[in-house]
Amino acid sequence: RAKMSGSSGGDEDWSKMPPVIHAMIHEDEIALDPDADSLLPILRKSAAPEIWHKHGHFYSHLHDVWHMLCAWKQPQAVCRLGLFHSAYSNSFVSMNLYNPDTPAGRAELRDVIGAAAEEFVWKFCVINRQEMEQDALNTGKIPAEGKDFAHIRTGEAVHCSAAEIGVFLVETTADYQDQSFGWQSEMEAGHTDAIWPGLFKPTLRMSKVSKMAVVAKEYGQLEVVPPVFNNCSTILTEQHELEARDLYWSAVSEGSGGKQDDLIAKLTRASELNPFVAEPHAVRAQLLMQRGEWSRAADAAKSGLRSFYEWATQWDNRMPFTAWVSWTRCILLQSSFQEWPSTHGGMESLGAVHPSQKFRKLNDGRSFGEKPKAEEVEK
């Protein structure tokens, strides 16, 4: 992963993506795992692409959690845990791809992903994940000697070392961040009749996730600490998360009509309260481009890209990660040209994210919003 500093400035070439993000967006899966061409078809040929899962299908969730763990430079076995983390079913989901209760079933998956990854998957799928999470959240630690969990079907003791629990908390951090949005937060607030998918507000699970990430770093004996939450060192408070989410949602729901100062102030405050999400920066960058504040827009876009590249996922699930990254890179490029369109057609002619892709000027003269002139109507 290319170095991402705490500042959006510096000498970094922000027109280029870090190699791992480039591989993700170009779907160069072999760059992420040399065996990807054998691993991914197994999941694609399973029922996973048909199974509903939160804001997509189950295959996309497994695939995207794997992407995140790869971007966080986790060991291969941990990344493969992310890709197959429900292969045996688990305490949260009922579907499975392999039989965890027979030697033959476990051997089948072991032959696919390797012994270390299969051991992670098996334990992750047979322990009570909610108990593991609540232990970490309630105590703020992982016992140095690890812990025995009861097998969710047989009741037998399953021992997990502190290092294994640390791995499971890292996977859970990626897992929650990939799949969570406002619909789950509504249900967690007691509205279990919330209509799916709802308004698609961002999640209110980040405070919880940040606590698990900090525990994983402090007590989980991690080989590689994920870059998120300041390298898993900072807890986001629930109050700050809620205030930031509501400020952001207010800004993106109101539209820009003459309120740019107010919207920029809301988005700036949202980023101060929750500095771990990219989208407030990206939206603020667009507003600043509309005002011709090229330097400030570029700084906002760079801050957004830094966060997108660290997480390798989006927070505002109304658009996918690839769209958010491309849009923010597009804003950054246009800031270097000091150019932003003011017509419908001009906006739709945007797209280039690198100077080499800029073939001609934007089509500012084309606007679907203009009303025909009186003489044209008479004709």
Side-chain angles (χ1 to χ4, degrees):
R1 188 171 65 89
K3 183 180 178 183
M4 294 291 141
S5 67
S7 167
S8 60
D11 297 326
E12 293 167 290
D13 184 354
W14 287 91
S15 68
K16 295 180 180 179
M17 294 180 288
V20 67
I21 302 297
H22 185 277
M24 288 171 54
I25 288 181
H26 283 263
E27 300 181 8
D28 182 9
E29 314 288 22
I30 295 296
L32 304 179
D33 190 314
D35 295 325
D37 276 355
S38 62
L39 299 176
L40 297 178
I42 291 171
L43 291 174
R44 285 197 294 263
K45 291 176 182 177
S46 73
E50 301 177 25
I51 296 171
W52 170 85
H53 196 273
K54 311 305 187 287
H55 61 81
H57 53 63
F58 198 51
Y59 172 79
S60 66
H61 172 60
L62 298 172
H63 176 271
D64 293 352
V65 169
W66 171 62
H67 267 189
M68 293 173 69
L69 295 170
C70 289
W72 298 353
K73 298 298 185 185
Q74 295 302 295
Q76 185 184 79
V78 179
C79 295
R80 291 182 176 185
L81 162 64
L83 187 58
F84 285 85
H85 69 262
S86 296
Y88 289 142
S89 181
N90 61 51
S91 62
F92 288 168
V93 296
S94 60
M95 53 278 189
N96 74 300
L97 303 177
Y98 296 88
N99 188 339
D101 297 331
T102 66
R106 292 194 60 182
E108 186 179 2
L109 181 57
R110 191 180 302 119
D111 289 344
V112 172
I113 63 175
E118 189 277 336
E119 183 73 6
F120 281 149
V121 172
W122 184 78
K123 288 188 175 182
F124 190 75
C125 288
V126 302
I127 67 171
N128 186 323
R129 290 176 58 188
Q130 185 167 352
E131 179 184 349
M132 176 195 70
E133 292 175 16
Q134 287 304 128
D135 281 351
L137 294 171
N138 292 339
T139 67
K141 62 179 65 176
I142 300 169
E145 67 278 12
K147 179 177 176 177
D148 287 345
F149 294 89
H151 190 297
I152 58 175
R153 288 184 298 279
T154 69
E156 67 180 298
V158 178
H159 182 74
C160 294
S161 68
E164 287 173 325
I165 295 173
V167 163
F168 298 158
L169 290 175
V170 167
E171 193 285 337
T172 300
T173 297
D175 194 338
Y176 273 121
Q177 204 63 21
D178 171 73
Q179 67 173 279
S180 300
F181 61 104
W183 177 66
Q184 293 108 312
S185 298
E186 285 293 307
M187 291 193 295
E188 288 168 352
H191 307 297
T192 54
D193 56 352
I195 302 298
W196 182 89
L199 297 177
F200 254 91
K201 287 184 179 181
T203 180
L204 288 177
R205 287 176 166 176
M206 283 192 79
S207 174
K208 171 181 176 178
V209 169
S210 71
K211 294 172 185 176
M212 289 191 284
V214 168
V215 171
K217 177 190 178 182
E218 293 297 320
Y219 301 97
Q221 304 171 17
L222 303 180
E223 290 186 39
V224 181
V225 176
V228 299
F229 299 118
N230 291 329
N231 297 310
C232 299
S233 65
T234 305
I235 290 175
L236 174 66
T237 69
E238 292 180 4
Q239 185 61 34
H240 283 181
E241 178 181 17
L242 175 61
E243 289 181 23
R245 196 281 305 267
D246 287 350
L247 283 167
Y248 173 78
W249 194 251
S250 173
V252 299
S253 299
E254 287 178 16
S256 61
K259 306 176 183 176
Q260 287 182 336
D261 287 339
D262 182 47
L263 298 181
I264 290 170
K266 286 182 178 181
L267 293 165
T268 300
R269 182 56 180 158
S271 294
E272 292 169 350
L273 290 165
N274 183 354
F276 308 115
V277 291
E279 288 84 343
H281 296 296
V283 177
R284 179 165 54 89
Q286 180 182 352
L287 291 169
L288 291 166
M289 289 293 287
Q290 292 171 354
R291 293 159 62 117
E293 297 188 39
W294 315 118
S295 179
R296 290 182 65 199
D299 284 344
K302 291 172 186 178
S303 293
L305 287 172
R306 185 182 67 249
S307 186
F308 280 131
Y309 294 162
E310 286 184 348
W311 275 104
T313 192
Q314 69 284 348
W315 173 66
D316 184 339
N317 279 291
R318 294 177 302 160
M319 283 291 160
F321 176 69
T322 52
W324 277 112
V325 169
S326 296
W327 176 242
T328 310
R329 292 181 72 208
C330 177
I331 292 173
L332 182 59
L333 177 66
Q334 291 302 127
S335 73
S336 71
F337 296 138
Q338 298 191 359
E339 175 189 32
W340 193 251
S342 58
T343 67
H344 180 182
M347 287 299 297
E348 290 208 344
S349 69
L350 290 169
V353 300
H354 190 273
S356 64
Q357 301 163 357
K358 193 74 180 287
F359 183 67
R360 59 177 177 78
K361 291 184 177 181
L362 298 176
N363 188 0
D364 249 340
R366 173 173 170 261
S367 179
F368 299 144
E370 292 180 355
K371 295 181 180 180
K373 297 178 181 178
E375 58 269 23
E376 292 176 348
V377 174
E378 291 174 2
K379 291 179 181 179

